[in-house]
Amino acid sequence: MKLYDIAHSRAGDKGNTLTLSLIPYQEQDYALLCEKITEEKVKQHLGEIVKGKVTRYELPNISSLLFVCEDALNTGVTTSWNMDAHGKTLSYALLEMEI
Amino acid sequence: MKDKIRIGCGAGFSGDRLDPAVVLVKDGKLDYLVLECLAERTIALAQKRKLQNPAWGYDPLLERRIESLLELLLEQKVKLITNMGAANPLSAADKVIEIAKRKNLSVRVAAVVGDDVLAKLDVAALSLETKQPLSSHGKIVSANAYLGADGILEALKTNADIIITGRVADPSLFIAPMLHELGWAENDFDRMGKGTVLGHLLECAGQVTGGYYADPGKKHVPDMVNLGHPFVDVFADGSGLLGKVNGTGGVINLDTAKEQLLYEVVNPHAYYTPDVIADFTSVKLMQQAKDRVRVTGGSGTTKPDTLKVSVGYQAGYLGEGEITYAGGNAVGRAKLAGEIVRERLRHTFNEIKVDLMGLNAVHGNALHSTEPYEVRLRVAAKTPDAALAARVGEEVEALYTNGPGGGGGVRKYVHEMIGIVSCLMDRNLIKPEVIIKSI
């Protein structure tokens, strides 16, 4: 099963930092996501994309996780030479993770 | 004082669609309309236009947006708050007056200035992002502080119909009318924290009504063609009710609200604006009715002693070229083409980026599995020299007769880059000022 099957995500950018929300379709899957989708797992999954630290925030009131990934946007939207300079497509990279 | 106000958001970025704001004003029963049109880099580009002509430097779509809205705003008694002033709120106000004159309308416009801090900038200060002196990144072209709600609040007290700002923190565009109408004290940080949550939910307009959300078969959004933009009913206790105009397309549900609540948030325990340091972790969402989500919770503590300043600098040029290969061994031919261009440009650029769009251009090499039928080669390089940047596209174009078989659809681009770095500035050095123009 892929994360895509049970959760959705939106990517955001602040400078060279990428933010990825992770929101289960069924709120009862939140506990599973908390257990399985650790900072290390996300860092490893995104591989060469995220060069810096990954920090996970838990938001139990809205049954959602937030991953803040540093040094992930090739200097950031204004000077990046990436095709997707904002990193907007990267929400769906996270959802490719097998769980 | 009112016990409830309704604020709509009719644009979430400079290039946003024009029609949804018209629908909001016409049928949304709004008290206020916010148009958020100023991204980090947009203001640096605007500063450059202002250098070319001192009457320019406001949002390029301002004229079209005001043309379509002005009469309706006045008729429906909806006040407009917008950062379309960009680098030149005064000229933007003049432009609104000019449009009103042409339409024979009477209007009071307030320009909020004071965000331009280039003259006060310490260029030796370290960038928050790179920890290097600001001046080391390139020639500095702009420095704009993120103002808070205070300047807009002052403008609202003058009874202006339209308030045009430059750089203001996005949620502050929403906090100002809340302070003005709901009787909150300017040090009521808890309610401003709650209000900031609501402003953040609205500031990207369509991103909370199903825009940037749909995924066919998975996340359904009805009638996206006519996607409506949102409004929020803000209550005196700081709670809110999200909604959109009946009959517009899109959807507001817990999932669209959650995606937007966390969008671009780097620390949900401490979301910094000039008005308040807000905590998003206590926010609760409830689907109250179809396309109505109730927002409660959120809090705030104090306001920061410093304001964030966005500093724009000349960052050189990005040269790009693209060409497509399809059918048998498309990927093999595209890879060969990439190697050829890389080799031909080796002496011109220190670093060259070669992407295969359809295979690895946005998610890298690790995640893809099968080879596509069509693939588009993209070559990119950065340089301080515009003419050199053009060499990238030239070499890609030359693949037509000097590269692998069957390449087509070449496009080439040279893009001037304005980089942005930030620093903090003592807020006592930054004084918003309100200038009224009326007809």
Side-chain angles (χ1 to χ4, degrees):
Chain A
M1 183 171 66
K2 282 184 175 174
L3 261 184
Y4 178 81
D5 297 315
I6 61 165
H8 55 108
S9 169
R10 176 170 294 176
D13 70 296
K14 269 276 176 307
N16 201 11
T17 299
L18 164 74
T19 68
L20 296 169
S21 55
L22 186 64
I23 305 160
Y25 287 105
Q26 305 296 329
E27 294 202 337
Q28 65 263 28
D29 285 338
Y30 174 65
L32 178 77
L33 296 183
C34 286
E35 185 201 323
K36 300 272 187 196
I37 318 301
T38 59
E39 291 169 349
E40 298 73 32
K41 197 90 190 293
V42 169
K43 168 93 179 150
Q44 188 195 358
H45 173 72
L46 293 175
E48 62 192 37
I49 296 167
V50 178
K51 295 177 179 68
K53 198 172 89 173
V54 174
T55 306
R56 185 178 90 169
Y57 293 97
E58 295 172 18
L59 292 108
N61 285 313
I62 55 165
S63 305
S64 303
L65 294 174
L66 174 68
F67 294 91
V68 177
C69 312
E70 295 171 26
D71 196 2
L73 296 172
N74 225 314
T75 71
V77 63
T78 57
T79 49
S80 167
W81 65 359
N82 286 355
M83 173 77 226
D84 172 19
H86 294 89
K88 284 188 174 285
T89 65
L90 294 171
S91 50
Y92 280 81
L94 176 64
L95 298 177
E96 280 297 299
M97 191 192 292
E98 291 282 350
I99 50 164
Chain B
M1 289 299 153
K2 296 180 180 165
D3 55 6
K4 183 190 92 173
I5 55 166
R6 178 172 286 189
I7 309 172
C9 184
F13 78 106
S14 171
D16 210 338
R17 305 191 65 243
L18 272 67
D19 295 348
V22 174
V23 175
L24 270 174
V25 178
K26 203 181 276 176
D27 299 319
K29 300 188 175 66
L30 303 184
D31 298 301
Y32 290 86
L33 175 72
V34 170
L35 300 174
E36 196 292 289
C37 299
L38 199 53
E40 266 202 322
R41 200 171 62 106
T42 325
I43 199 153
L45 298 173
Q47 292 285 10
K48 285 190 63 188
R49 286 197 300 276
K50 190 180 171 185
L51 287 176
Q52 285 167 16
N53 181 335
W56 295 349
Y58 53 83
D59 186 281
L61 283 179
L62 175 129
E63 197 163 355
R64 280 168 67 194
R65 291 195 196 277
I66 296 295
E67 284 276 0
S68 70
L69 288 168
L70 187 56
E71 208 157 356
L72 272 173
L73 287 166
L74 296 171
E75 184 185 296
Q76 300 286 333
K77 297 190 170 47
V78 175
K79 287 179 188 270
L80 171 66
I81 300 173
T82 178
N83 53 16
M84 279 195 289
N88 203 345
L90 275 177
S91 279
D94 286 338
K95 180 53 78 174
V96 176
I97 295 291
E98 183 193 312
I99 295 168
K101 207 170 182 177
R102 204 188 312 141
K103 290 178 178 282
N104 224 357
L105 297 167
S106 170
V107 66
R108 192 172 167 82
V109 185
V112 178
V113 298
D115 60 310
D116 185 340
V117 293
L118 188 56
K120 301 174 194 166
L121 188 71
D122 171 13
V123 296
L126 300 186
S127 145
L128 294 175
E129 293 84 3
T130 65
K131 320 291 179 216
Q132 300 295 317
L134 294 171
S135 57
S136 69
H137 297 86
K139 183 174 183 279
I140 292 174
V141 292
S142 68
N144 291 79
Y146 280 84
L147 301 182
D150 44 358
I152 304 171
L153 184 61
E154 203 187 313
L156 286 170
K157 286 176 182 162
T158 70
N159 216 15
D161 304 300
I162 294 181
I163 294 161
I164 302 185
T165 75
R167 179 83 282 160
V168 167
D170 296 348
S172 304
L173 299 167
F174 299 85
I175 289 290
M178 297 180 201
L179 290 170
H180 184 61
E181 300 276 14
L182 298 173
W184 301 354
E186 276 180 75
N187 60 359
D188 189 341
F189 296 116
D190 190 62
R191 270 188 265 207
M192 272 197 280
K194 292 173 167 64
T196 295
V197 168
L198 301 176
H200 178 74
L201 281 166
L202 246 68
E203 73 187 29
C204 294
Q207 279 202 165
V208 77
T209 54
Y212 212 61
Y213 173 79
D215 185 350
K218 198 80 177 160
K219 297 195 281 185
H220 179 61
V221 179
D223 191 20
M224 283 201 80
V225 174
N226 299 303
L227 189 83
H229 281 185
F231 57 70
V232 63
D233 290 332
V234 188
F235 300 92
D237 65 357
S239 67
L241 182 62
L242 297 174
K244 64 185 189 68
V245 173
N246 288 335
T248 58
V251 61
I252 303 177
N253 59 32
L254 296 182
D255 287 334
T256 65
K258 287 175 187 177
E259 281 197 14
Q260 187 53 28
L261 182 66
L262 297 179
Y263 177 66
E264 287 183 339
V265 172
V266 292
N267 181 353
H269 297 283
Y271 181 90
Y272 276 70
T273 81
D275 308 314
V276 64
I277 301 169
D279 186 341
F280 284 13
T281 59
S282 56
V283 172
K284 290 184 179 165
L285 302 167
M286 196 188 78
Q287 186 92 47
Q288 187 156 309
K290 182 177 177 287
D291 296 326
R292 294 284 184 281
V293 166
R294 177 135 175 84
V295 186
T296 54
S299 62
T301 44
T302 182
K303 66 180 175 189
D305 296 329
T306 51
L307 298 184
K308 187 174 156 184
V309 176
S310 270
V311 179
Y313 65 94
Q314 287 179 345
Y317 296 83
L318 179 68
E320 295 171 280
E322 295 171 12
I323 185 168
T324 289
Y325 296 87
N329 200 23
V331 170
R333 284 178 287 134
K335 278 185 180 162
L336 174 60
E339 284 159 22
I340 293 168
V341 174
R342 187 189 283 283
E343 195 56 27
R344 286 178 180 157
L345 291 174
R346 192 161 57 95
H347 299 292
T348 313
F349 301 100
N350 294 331
E351 281 188 294
I352 295 164
K353 185 162 168 57
V354 176
D355 295 326
L356 296 181
M357 292 157 70
L359 199 68
N360 64 11
V362 291
H363 290 183
N365 283 305
L367 296 169
H368 67 81
S369 48
T370 52
E371 288 206 346
Y373 180 82
E374 297 178 359
V375 66
R376 189 158 174 82
L377 171 74
R378 170 181 180 263
V379 184
K382 294 203 270 188
T383 164
D385 184 319
L388 275 187
R391 293 264 292 123
V392 180
E394 287 163 16
E395 283 295 0
V396 172
E397 188 173 41
L399 289 167
Y400 272 144
T401 55
N402 302 274
V410 168
R411 299 280 189 280
K412 47 185 188 175
Y413 313 95
V414 173
H415 168 68
E416 185 181 358
M417 288 187 294
I418 300 291
I420 296 285
V421 284
S422 330
C423 64
L424 298 175
M425 192 179 273
D426 180 348
R427 69 185 304 150
N428 295 315
L429 293 174
I430 302 161
K431 292 269 174 272
E433 197 188 329
V434 176
I435 296 150
I436 304 292
K437 311 229 173 188
S438 59
I439 183 170

